[in-house]
Amino acid sequence: MNKSVSSVWFSLLLTLVLQNCRFIISSSSAYLVGLGSYDITGPAADVNMMGYANSDQIAAGVHFRLQARTFIVAEPGGNRVVFVNLDACMASQLVTIKVLERLKSRYGDLYGEQNVAISGIHTHSGPGGYLQYVVYIVTSLGFVPQSFDVIVDGIEQSIIQAHENLHPGTIFVNTGELLDAGINRSPSAYLNNPAEERSEYRYNVDTNMTLLKFVDDDWGPVGSFNWFATHGTSMGRTNSLISGDNKGAAARFMEDWAKQKSIAEQIDSTYPRRRISEHELRQLASSFEASGGSQSTKSFSIRNSFRQGNTSQPKFVSAFCQTNCGDVSPNVLGAFCIDTGLPCDFNQSTCNGKNELCYGRGPGYPDEFESTRIIGEKQFNKAVDLFSAATEEVKGKVDYRHTYIDMSSITLSNGGPEVVRTCPAAMGFAFAAGTTDGPGAFDFKQGDNKGNAFWKLVSSFLKTPGQEQVNCHKPKPILIDTGEMTQPYAWAPSILPIQIIRIGQIVILCVPGEFTTMAGRRLRDAVKTVLIKAGHGEFDDNVHVVIAGLTNSYSQYVTTFEEYQIQRYEGASTLYGPHTLSAYIQEFSELASALATGQNIPAGPQPPDLLNKQISLLPPVVIDSTPNGVNFGDVSTDVPQNSTFKHGKWFQPHSGLLAQGMIS
């Protein structure tokens, strides 16, 4: 065949390739990217909800279903990381253990505790009973297998989806400020932080959202994960409908938004085309089978350009993850007394000395469904803005470090000659006071650093703390000495996981608790300083350090030393004493140094697997029937006659909520 004829055939082949491919991206992408999503809704009736510790808050229906959402990022032939975001109150050590066992059985050593992170969004409207320590399952009447099993199954399935969707792709990062989606619910404690430190920040909550945009080389944008601090308490402590609260709603909004946009529109508006070289086109052309002849020699796998056996667009997955939300409430109108309508006491959040009368108000007050929608929509709108404008490409290594630490006995110098330590877990009197998002009962008050004789007598029936424990936790008066209570099994964790995940210039700090605003700032700043110093130029000021809260396990709150002195709810719920934050900073700094220098780090002591010790006291369903005169499946409330609705809209007559994808 002469040269001119060969050129004609090649030109025709290029024309066919370009006509059949909307866009072509280089197959030599730095990352493989996969996303997945699976249902974890759980039992929708008769099960206590996790979050408010209100024994009367029993599930009795579904507001919208809950999901486990996963991304996997891998270097071709190198390291990979898995991040799972749960529409659940928090991660569970027992859930993590069982998920890792399943992954070990399915994938061998590909996925393990080192490179898998499982985080919760902190909704307070999901079924409880899936954690392994006694104090977290008291109100659910012990362990609830139905809650536990569906979460483990859903996480595994979402990871399987993400693994099977792995494909060359690109990641972008963007950050921006979101106001009016959270306020500080313990401002008196925040004000106890040094004035010089507070002056470095404009607000007493973190207003920054960090978003990762995942772009598949074939399909274009396929998902996004973001981190922003606000509590999952738009739905109140008496709500009985399963709900992902504001973050779950935001995720649904964004996934519906992506579904409504055509893939071509997404590509044209948010992802620039790249010029394709003749060499790359020849490689692509060589992957096609010749009609009536033998297959051409392949210089690379066809999977690098087209999904084998998959001609449909992958499902868009969007997760709204939790970060240092410890003192951040979505009830942005403030806290008011329900008897007088006046603002609650500033220091103790009481009304005439009663904490039960002080409630935070969301932006849709008195409609908590509307508040959920508004706060979710604010996060959704900001995420769309960041997603659409994301241009900073994520580049660099995929890496991770993980270890277990015994938080009950960590020693540290605390910056001076004095050696201090953490303590076995204990909860203070102000823990029982609750917060303005969900007040407690009886005569407990936030800010109580003394306790009272009656409740000390009551708590002594459980366990009287020794003097060393009392001194260690000062000024916290101990209400429940959970760390030293072991019957019928451990009441609180002592062995906790800490983990760092790196994807290029993105560094995710996986923490097993709720850091307050200033505590999170201090941890991020400390880790960033270590990375820049130890990395010898590999990291610079552009490194994005984010905290993934409530990850892999759960151990309640982490305040600064100064906030701890005030003993608001968050300080009373800081389990391991006033130096808890300093211990985390010390241990994460060691992880960060090992990450930056390429050094290994010891695995640490292993946490217990308490599945075989769990006690379940929740009675089974004896009978499930309809009232007289109706049957299962009958219409409860019909839509108005002669009404019209657009595709993708849902009608909810009782709450007045008309939103995309809010009911399923």
Side-chain angles (χ1 to χ4, degrees):
M1 186 179 294
N2 61 43
K3 183 175 181 181
S4 61
V5 174
S6 176
S7 298
V8 169
W9 278 107
F10 180 67
S11 298
L12 289 173
L13 183 56
L14 291 187
T15 300
L16 289 171
V17 168
L18 293 174
Q19 285 178 345
N20 287 279
C21 301
R22 285 189 293 268
F23 68 106
I24 304 169
I25 305 297
S26 169
S27 62
S28 59
S29 296
Y31 302 122
L32 301 176
V33 174
L35 289 91
S37 177
Y38 205 84
D39 191 281
I40 59 167
T41 302
D46 301 331
V47 174
N48 184 248
M49 290 181 170
M50 181 65 203
Y52 287 115
N54 177 14
S55 60
D56 294 329
Q57 189 190 15
I58 305 298
V62 177
H63 178 210
F64 59 93
R65 300 187 70 82
L66 310 180
Q67 296 287 124
R69 297 175 172 91
T70 295
F71 75 73
I72 300 177
V73 176
E75 293 178 289
N79 289 336
R80 61 182 60 201
V81 293
V82 180
F83 188 92
V84 184
N85 187 66
L86 302 177
D87 286 347
C89 193
M90 68 281 290
S92 156
Q93 184 69 71
L94 189 57
V95 167
T96 301
I97 289 171
K98 296 308 173 185
V99 168
L100 294 176
E101 287 179 358
R102 292 192 182 189
L103 295 178
K104 174 75 172 178
S105 176
R106 183 179 293 273
Y107 297 112
D109 295 331
L110 195 59
Y111 302 115
E113 63 188 18
Q114 290 282 329
N115 64 345
V116 175
I118 302 172
S119 179
I121 63 170
H122 210 38
T123 175
H124 286 40
S125 295
Y130 64 93
L131 286 87
Q132 72 170 352
Y133 296 102
V134 172
V135 75
Y136 305 130
I137 55 177
V138 169
T139 58
S140 63
L141 299 180
F143 188 68
V144 181
Q146 300 96 320
S147 296
F148 177 81
D149 291 341
V150 74
I151 293 176
V152 173
D153 291 342
I155 294 171
E156 181 189 22
Q157 292 301 319
S158 73
I159 293 174
I160 291 171
Q161 282 187 22
H163 176 83
E164 293 180 348
N165 283 332
L166 276 171
H167 192 253
T170 308
I171 307 171
F172 296 90
V173 60
N174 201 3
T175 62
E177 188 174 65
L178 172 59
L179 302 177
D180 301 326
I183 62 169
N184 197 305
R185 69 186 186 188
S186 291
S188 60
Y190 181 89
L191 287 172
N192 206 45
N193 291 307
E196 182 180 1
E197 181 181 34
R198 287 187 281 110
S199 68
E200 297 176 11
Y201 304 97
R202 186 175 180 183
Y203 302 103
N204 63 0
V205 295
D206 274 347
T207 58
N208 190 65
M209 176 183 284
T210 300
L211 178 139
L212 296 183
K213 173 181 177 179
F214 299 97
V215 181
D216 186 288
D217 277 6
D218 287 341
W219 292 110
V222 290
S224 68
F225 277 55
N226 71 71
W227 290 264
F228 176 77
T230 194
H231 247 77
T233 50
S234 292
M235 304 291 285
R237 68 190 300 271
T238 60
N239 166 60
S240 61
L241 298 182
I242 288 177
S243 174
D245 211 275
N246 57 71
K247 286 189 176 291
R252 296 289 295 270
F253 292 155
M254 191 153 186
E255 289 173 348
D256 286 348
W257 167 81
K259 188 186 301 182
Q260 292 168 4
K261 292 172 65 68
S262 69
I263 188 65
E265 180 183 352
Q266 290 185 49
I267 295 164
D268 290 340
S269 64
T270 66
Y271 192 72
R273 296 175 184 267
R274 194 184 69 78
R275 297 185 64 181
I276 309 300
S277 69
E278 180 177 334
H279 172 70
E280 289 169 323
L281 288 173
R282 286 185 183 275
Q283 281 192 312
L284 179 63
S286 71
S287 70
F288 289 95
E289 291 187 5
S291 59
S294 60
Q295 186 173 350
S296 302
T297 301
K298 294 183 180 180
S299 58
F300 72 109
S301 169
I302 192 172
R303 179 175 169 84
N304 287 335
S305 290
F306 296 96
R307 296 181 185 275
Q308 294 176 335
N310 182 8
T311 58
S312 62
Q313 179 183 346
K315 179 172 60 177
F316 189 95
V317 178
S318 181
F320 285 69
C321 311
Q322 196 56 270
T323 178
N324 56 319
C325 68
D327 53 359
V328 187
S329 169
N331 296 311
V332 294
L333 298 185
F336 295 85
C337 299
I338 60 175
D339 56 345
T340 66
L342 298 175
C344 304
D345 174 79
F346 180 78
N347 291 314
Q348 294 188 315
S349 295
T350 56
C351 301
N352 295 318
K354 299 292 185 181
N355 69 76
E356 302 96 317
L357 302 177
C358 177
Y359 279 88
R361 294 179 179 177
Y365 175 83
D367 188 337
E368 60 188 16
F369 293 96
E370 181 67 2
S371 293
T372 298
R373 184 195 65 79
I374 292 171
I375 298 298
E377 194 171 71
K378 286 177 180 289
Q379 294 176 78
F380 155 66
N381 288 333
K382 177 48 97 180
V384 168
D385 290 344
L386 296 177
F387 183 89
S388 301
T391 57
E392 181 185 343
E393 185 174 347
V394 177
K395 298 180 179 180
K397 296 178 182 177
V398 172
D399 208 350
Y400 42 82
R401 292 294 183 276
H402 175 286
T403 191
Y404 291 104
I405 56 177
D406 185 350
M407 279 300 295
S408 68
S409 59
I410 293 177
T411 59
L412 55 157
S413 66
N414 207 31
E418 180 188 5
V419 175
V420 296
R421 67 175 183 87
T422 57
C423 325
M427 298 190 298
F429 273 66
F431 158 79
T435 72
T436 56
D437 290 339
F442 304 108
D443 57 350
F444 294 102
K445 299 179 180 65
Q446 293 195 71
D448 184 356
N449 59 8
K450 295 180 180 178
N452 66 63
F454 174 76
W455 287 111
K456 286 181 180 179
L457 177 63
V458 172
S459 68
S460 69
F461 286 103
L462 294 174
K463 168 75 169 62
T464 301
Q467 192 59 47
E468 183 179 2
Q469 176 80 327
V470 170
N471 292 340
C472 189
H473 280 273
K474 282 183 178 180
K476 177 204 294 179
I478 296 175
L479 176 64
I480 310 177
D481 190 13
T482 53
E484 298 183 322
M485 296 168 64
T486 59
Q487 296 299 323
Y489 47 89
W491 279 55
S494 58
I495 308 301
L496 292 171
I498 59 172
Q499 181 182 34
I500 298 181
I501 287 175
R502 177 192 177 185
I503 308 169
Q505 68 269 37
I506 309 301
V507 176
I508 303 172
L509 310 182
C510 302
V511 301
E514 305 174 57
F515 280 58
T516 61
T517 299
M518 193 64 84
R521 289 167 174 169
R522 290 184 189 178
L523 178 63
R524 290 197 307 263
D525 289 347
V527 168
K528 184 174 182 179
T529 298
V530 170
L531 291 173
I532 294 173
K533 183 177 180 180
H536 301 294
E538 189 171 354
F539 297 94
D540 57 28
D541 283 337
N542 291 325
V543 63
H544 299 270
V545 180
V546 298
I547 290 175
L550 307 111
T551 301
N552 294 328
S553 186
Y554 183 65
S555 58
Q556 295 175 246
Y557 284 75
V558 180
T559 64
T560 67
F561 178 86
E562 294 84 359
E563 291 165 352
Y564 186 91
Q565 309 306 308
I566 302 302
Q567 281 297 293
R568 294 275 296 189
Y569 172 83
E570 296 81 11
S573 303
T574 296
L575 295 185
Y576 307 104
H579 305 293
T580 299
L581 174 60
S582 296
Y584 273 115
I585 290 175
Q586 173 181 284
E587 300 302 313
F588 265 101
S589 294
E590 291 185 12
L591 274 190
S593 179
L595 182 78
T597 59
Q599 301 297 310
N600 293 324
I601 197 160
Q606 291 294 305
D609 178 344
L610 302 176
L611 181 59
N612 292 333
K613 295 186 177 183
Q614 295 300 312
I615 298 173
S616 300
L617 301 177
L618 182 68
V621 176
V622 177
I623 186 171
D624 186 13
S625 63
T626 63
N628 292 330
V630 297
N631 299 308
F632 285 115
D634 286 353
V635 174
S636 175
T637 303
D638 205 351
V639 296
Q641 290 186 352
N642 302 321
S643 59
T644 59
F645 298 92
K646 294 182 179 179
H647 176 72
K649 296 286 186 177
W650 297 90
F651 178 65
Q652 188 180 3
H654 296 301
S655 72
L657 177 63
L658 184 61
Q660 298 170 4
M662 280 299 292
I663 307 296
S664 62

